[in-house]
Amino acid sequence: MNRFDFTPYRRTTVGFDRLFDLLERQARANAGDNYPPFNIERQGEDAYRITLAVAGFKPEDLDITAQQNLLVVKGSKADLTDKQYLHLGIANRSFERRFELADFVRVSAADLADGLLTIDLVREVPEAMKPKKVMIGNQKALSVVEGGDASAAA
């Protein structure tokens, strides 16, 4: 197992503990099972899409739960014990995939077509959280002084 050592970064940064914990947790969680395969694509500056290959699953077999900073996709199939298979190569096992979401990212839509589950995500930063220009002290904006007398401007 590959393990990244974030100790040098932790010593020189302040307030990024959650980020380093998240990276280490994801490395541990993804070390084993890679089912079902998925893609994450950026569709715009603040739009993303997660696509999971869930062939054989119906909408009622899937459960998508979004909560603050976490998206959980679960799939569960009924046992196929009543059938006798000579070869079972199509994976229909239950799964749970977790995706850590950034602040202000929400699920906008989900769709299942042709064995692919697509989940659209949008980042919507509230107006109160957007950067604003801060003036220093009581500075007034510069303006053009009418007339040619330089002493009147001072």
Side-chain angles (χ1 to χ4, degrees), residues 39-43 47-51:
N39 294 335
I40 300 176
E41 75 180 273
R42 173 178 249 162
Q43 295 194 308
Y48 305 90
R49 174 174 282 172
I50 298 173
T51 305

Side-chain angles (χ1 to χ4, degrees), residues 22-77:
L22 179 110
L23 290 170
E24 289 172 346
R25 188 171 48 248
Q26 282 299 109
R28 281 192 302 272
N30 290 337
D33 193 15
N34 289 326
Y35 178 77
F38 65 93
N39 294 335
I40 300 176
E41 75 180 273
R42 173 178 249 162
Q43 295 194 308
E45 186 174 330
D46 291 322
Y48 305 90
R49 174 174 282 172
I50 298 173
T51 305
L52 290 100
V54 292
F57 285 85
K58 298 175 187 154
E60 55 270 13
D61 298 333
L62 299 169
D63 180 50
I64 303 170
T65 306
Q67 50 187 317
Q68 185 177 1
N69 299 91
L70 183 64
L71 174 68
V72 179
V73 181
K74 293 181 185 178
S76 58
K77 298 280 287 183

Side-chain angles (χ1 to χ4, degrees), residues 2-107:
N2 292 338
R3 186 171 182 328
F4 296 105
D5 183 15
F6 292 110
T7 306
Y9 301 107
R10 286 181 186 264
R11 283 188 293 227
T12 59
T13 58
V14 176
F16 290 95
D17 297 336
R18 181 176 177 268
L19 174 66
F20 295 128
D21 292 343
L22 179 110
L23 290 170
E24 289 172 346
R25 188 171 48 248
Q26 282 299 109
R28 281 192 302 272
N30 290 337
D33 193 15
N34 289 326
Y35 178 77
F38 65 93
N39 294 335
I40 300 176
E41 75 180 273
R42 173 178 249 162
Q43 295 194 308
E45 186 174 330
D46 291 322
Y48 305 90
R49 174 174 282 172
I50 298 173
T51 305
L52 290 100
V54 292
F57 285 85
K58 298 175 187 154
E60 55 270 13
D61 298 333
L62 299 169
D63 180 50
I64 303 170
T65 306
Q67 50 187 317
Q68 185 177 1
N69 299 91
L70 183 64
L71 174 68
V72 179
V73 181
K74 293 181 185 178
S76 58
K77 298 280 287 183
D79 286 337
L80 303 173
T81 55
D82 59 336
K83 297 182 181 180
Q84 184 179 11
Y85 289 96
L86 299 178
H87 174 75
L88 185 60
I90 299 172
N92 280 328
R93 65 182 187 258
S94 297
F95 68 89
E96 180 177 316
R97 270 278 179 210
R98 295 175 170 265
F99 298 94
E100 297 283 341
L101 302 178
D103 292 337
F104 312 115
V105 172
R106 68 169 183 84
V107 175

Side-chain angles (χ1 to χ4, degrees), residues 107-124:
V107 175
S108 63
D111 190 35
L112 179 63
D114 301 326
L116 297 175
L117 174 65
T118 57
I119 303 169
D120 293 325
L121 306 165
V122 177
R123 180 176 47 206
E124 294 176 338

